[in-house]
Amino acid sequence: MVAKCTLRSASLFWVSRDMVDVALDAGIDLRYDCKMGVCMMCPAKRVSGEVEQPNAMLSDDVVDQGFVLLCCSEPVNDDVKITTVDEDELLEVQLRA
């Protein structure tokens, strides 16, 4: 699937790859490490649209709040809007869940 998404005010076309690679190819600097959904260094929040992240190590409560891990997120529909967040914000929510 090809989906148009917005990250840090940049419009990107997400083509069957993880969002970290798409952003890096577009010149957007993102923090990441493992690229397997485990280290949680690439957190973001979904503002609109839908994504699947089958390999993310996030609890259902955290996903329900809109958190995604960019390294393992794939679009489900077009016009996905995502904003990056600090990993401390994600970890705080994840530990409370």
Side-chain angles (χ1 to χ4, degrees):
M1 171 181 199
V2 176
K4 180 183 174 192
C5 66
T6 305
L7 177 67
R8 293 192 182 164
S9 301
S11 290
L12 306 171
F13 289 95
W14 197 343
V15 185
S16 300
R17 296 188 303 159
D18 64 71
M19 194 62 209
V20 170
D21 286 338
V22 172
L24 293 173
D25 287 350
I28 298 172
D29 187 31
L30 293 176
R31 287 180 49 101
Y32 68 94
D33 187 27
C34 73
K35 294 185 77 179
M36 296 183 300
V38 177
C39 74
M40 298 190 193
M41 288 186 66
C42 60
K45 279 194 95 170
R46 181 183 45 78
V47 176
S48 66
E50 294 180 47
V51 300
E52 287 184 351
Q53 48 184 347
N55 298 325
M57 301 294 284
L58 298 176
S59 67
D60 291 340
D61 292 347
V62 172
V63 172
D64 290 344
Q65 293 179 50
F67 286 94
V68 299
L69 295 176
L70 296 175
C71 69
C72 55
S73 296
E74 297 178 9
V76 173
N77 60 7
D78 206 2
D79 288 329
V80 173
K81 290 189 172 108
I82 295 172
T83 183
T84 55
V85 297
D86 188 85
E87 57 260 26
D88 289 339
E89 180 181 346
L90 170 63
L91 290 174
E92 182 178 316
V93 173
Q94 179 79 355
L95 292 174
R96 281 191 311 218

